[in-house]
Each structure stands twice: as structure tokens, then as C-alpha cells.
Amino acid sequence: MNAAAKPLDTKAFAMSEIFNFLPVPALVVLPSYRIVRISAGLLNAWGRKSDEFIDNDLFVALYRRSPTERFDRIPLVHAIETAVTARDIRLCHEAYTSKDVSWTARIIPVHKDDELICLICEWERPKSTRPWLMAI
């Protein structure tokens, strides 16, 4: 069935509800790096609780349990800085590891005129380049 032909449900959704329906795990981060929204998909995928993220610093929330915390954040910081400067999407491969899976971050800077409003960080599992490992 053509999605355009189907009438939309008249129920109005708040942005916070819509964010939970995103098909990818995601975070909303203020320019101060404070996390203000987290999708249910991210919590489910990573097996963590919202209080580990909401109102916490992005880097503390992601890397505080790592013995190499100072170094783990460097690629993500670089990706964020270049995304903000370019006002364009940037990827950071292997930005976070959860349950032995490395996740790629897609950094989306949101600007209003010259002001950075927030970053949307979407997370994706990399597709295996060696599908035979999936069967093991």
C-alpha cells in the first residue's frame, strides 16, 4: 500500500514521543555536551538506563567505565568539532562499544542562524564485512 495514500492518524505526538520512535538509537546533546534526550532504542540496544545519560556529560556517560577514558573520547571530539565547523554530518567509526559491539556515531549539528542549538547523535552497528563470522 502506498504510504502517501494512507491518511495520517489525527493523534498529535510530542517531539519527545517522536524521538522514541526513531529507527536508530539516538541522543540529543546540548553545546555544553549535556545529554537532554535519549531514544528508547538506544537504551534497549545498549542495555543501559536513562539516568546514566540524561543530564550527564556525553563523554562521561559514554566512557566513564573505560580505563582509557581520556583517549577514547578523542575521535568523537574530533568528529563533533568538524561537524559543527562544517555544519554538516560527520561519522565517527567505533565511537562506543557496548556488549562487545562497536557502534558508529553519526553527528548531526543543528544550527539556528549562527547558533549551535544541539547535536543529534545517531548510533549504528557497522555491517559485518565478514558475513561468515555471523554464523560462528
Side-chain angles (χ1 to χ4, degrees), residues 58-69:
L58 173 67
F59 304 107
V60 171
L62 293 177
Y63 306 123
R64 77 171 139 227
R65 296 182 185 124
S66 171
T68 57
E69 176 183 346

Side-chain angles (χ1 to χ4, degrees), residues 12-121:
F13 292 99
M15 280 305 292
S16 59
E17 293 176 306
I18 291 170
F19 191 77
N20 280 329
F21 301 137
L22 292 176
V24 295
L27 296 165
V28 176
V29 181
L30 295 179
S32 64
Y33 296 120
R34 186 171 64 91
I35 300 169
V36 292
R37 283 291 298 139
I38 184 163
S39 70
L42 190 139
L43 297 174
N44 291 334
W46 292 356
R48 294 183 61 188
K49 296 182 177 165
S50 64
D51 63 354
E52 296 178 65
F53 293 95
I54 298 298
D55 289 327
N56 285 310
D57 178 86
L58 173 67
F59 304 107
V60 171
L62 293 177
Y63 306 123
R64 77 171 139 227
R65 296 182 185 124
S66 171
T68 57
E69 176 183 346
R70 274 182 61 201
F71 304 103
D72 293 341
R73 68 175 61 206
I74 293 170
L76 187 56
V77 168
H78 177 72
I80 290 170
E81 288 174 353
T82 57
V84 170
T85 300
R87 293 175 159 238
D88 201 3
I89 296 170
R90 292 292 184 263
L91 296 178
C92 183
H93 299 281
E94 299 181 10
Y96 177 72
T97 301
S98 176
K99 301 178 185 176
D100 295 326
V101 175
S102 291
W103 291 79
T104 295
R106 184 172 33 257
I107 311 301
I108 306 165
V110 179
H111 287 85
K112 180 180 180 192
D113 300 324
D114 289 332
E115 181 182 358
L116 176 65
I117 298 171
C118 68
L119 301 166
I120 298 175
C121 302

